[in-house]
Amino acid sequence: MSVRLCVAALRGGPPRMRPAPSPVWRRPSPRRATRLLLMDGEHGELDGRFLDALVAAVPEIERALAEAKAFTVIVREQDQAGFGTWLDRCRDGPVSGLAEGLKRDRAAVEAALELSWSTSPVEGQINRVKTLKRTMYGRAKLDLLRARVLSA
């Protein structure tokens, strides 16, 4: 039995219940706002109202979203032809900086779209070794670090 029920029984009445606090909404950080914008699916009521107000206040966001989602589709489907048209379409839009950077490195982007292999396994190993190195910083010499890297 909770303390509230015991005190209510001593007072001779029903326990007083406090109303549930209303949800507190905080303005999202730029990173969270970007995630909300790019996320597919349902948003909460408060987040949905925020996104509607954001798009109403800055109409370019809608075009930037469309271009970002189109680029995501191009990368996932490895559509080389679509990449060229996407670059041309984005030349004067809100993601023109991204498009210009990708245009400078066009050969690498097209190679990534054409070839099926990636460096993900290597990046995973590099991340593992760096994590080991950080956890052992200042605690042991190189021989122990080498033993830990090679034993895993």
Side-chain angles (χ1 to χ4, degrees), residues 34-57:
T34 303
R35 184 167 181 234
L36 284 172
L37 285 167
L38 294 175
M39 186 173 74
D40 289 331
E42 292 293 318
H43 300 288
E45 178 188 347
L46 296 174
D47 288 338
R49 282 195 283 166
F50 167 74
L51 292 176
D52 293 341
L54 186 63
V55 170

Side-chain angles (χ1 to χ4, degrees), residues 108-119:
V109 174
E110 287 178 346
L113 294 174
E114 179 182 338
L115 302 173
S116 62
W117 47 273
S118 74
T119 59

Side-chain angles (χ1 to χ4, degrees), residues 78-101:
Q78 295 184 319
D79 181 16
Q80 281 185 297
F83 177 64
T85 58
W86 182 84
L87 280 177
D88 294 336
R89 195 171 60 224
C90 293
R91 184 173 296 142
D92 298 324
V95 292
S96 61
L98 172 66
E100 191 61 38

Side-chain angles (χ1 to χ4, degrees), residues 2 17 26 33 66 75 92 96 101 141 147 152:
S2 71
M17 302 300 265
R26 288 186 222 137
V75 171
D92 298 324
S96 61
K141 293 184 180 176

